[in-house]
Amino acid sequence: MWSSSVIPTFLFLSVFPVGLAPDPGSTTQGNDIYPPFWDQTDGDIAEFPVQNNKIIVDLWKYMDRLRIYKILIRESNKYFASFGKNNTGNVFWALTLLYGRLFETDRFSEPSNSSRCAYESGGSSCISINSGWGGINYYVVIMYFLAAIESEFFGKLPYEVELLSREEYRSNFCYSVKECRASYPQVMDVANRLYKYLLSRKKVSSTRGIPQYDTDEDTVIFKMWAAHQAAVDVAKPKFSDVSFYPSETERDFTMDFLLSIEFFEATLYRPYFESSAEFLAGFPHRLLTDQDHNVLTSNFSRREKALLTAVKLIQKINKSTGGLFLAIWKKLMTSKFARDMARFFTKNLLLIPI
């Protein structure tokens, strides 16, 4: 019964008169789409300092995580040249742009004091170890980064990489390939499969001097999202407590948003630059307070209200069915036609006017 109603549910939600023109109040243009301080890093692992013959990385600094995202994009660009002009078809853009958006909206700040580790601190800003978003994002970036090192996706590095640890919540995190491999072998394996697939690709042609590889779009997107979800599945239980957020409403939004992403992943949502920027146009521009629980204030844009409403609705439907909604949704997404239609429906869902 439910399997026959999942797609119609999204179809019904998506056929409201949506007015597909972008919302001028929430759409960013040009360089504003990139994460803050994007131009201040070259995306080269040589940018990290070297001490005692070790490359030192501090993942509790905004710029160090940003460097890793740019390194991932720079090192993998050649495999995605056929997916978009000027490297816009790289599958790591979705994660990178979300990272910048989390920073811009102060979601890496101290829950009890949003001025600490805040966006206003600039490129030298920290990421609070007490931030739920910061902890979840830690696992996403660390699994991709360490798996790339383990699989030698970056080639042979001149020195061993050392991640600076924190004593706070030490058991909540792993800080090396050895630690993460021991604690989360399945997650590391999933991320490794992405890099092994890319390393196995062959150059098949050249367009205007740009090499083209035989990278299959659906295959690589599936592997990218699988690695993301594996990392999120580890992180969510660790950072679900309200103490990691400035309000219960923000905590609930975090969990609802990540659940909704799982629906998008099943459709093999295109994680490219333009599609990711369009999706994130609705990401709330500020932390949510408990006053936002029942009524969204007027300072949220139409696109933000659409996203907030959509993720809450998806969570409610999934909860009311005991998780059956997501399970059937994933089962339905085994055909290309279903995935194409679902991407259209879910895209329109985020454009519903409030």
Side-chain angles (χ1 to χ4, degrees), residues 45 53 55 156-160:
I45 204 161
N53 292 325
I55 299 169
K156 289 283 188 181
L157 298 180
Y159 305 105
E160 178 185 350

Side-chain angles (χ1 to χ4, degrees), residues 244-272:
F244 290 109
Y245 304 89
S247 70
E248 187 174 350
T249 304
E250 177 67 27
R251 188 274 309 274
D252 292 347
F253 164 69
T254 304
M255 298 299 129
D256 294 351
F257 180 82
L258 293 174
L259 172 66
S260 299
I261 291 297
E262 201 166 350
F263 278 86
F264 278 74
E265 290 171 345
T267 73
L268 299 187
Y269 187 83
R270 287 0 192 182
Y272 307 143

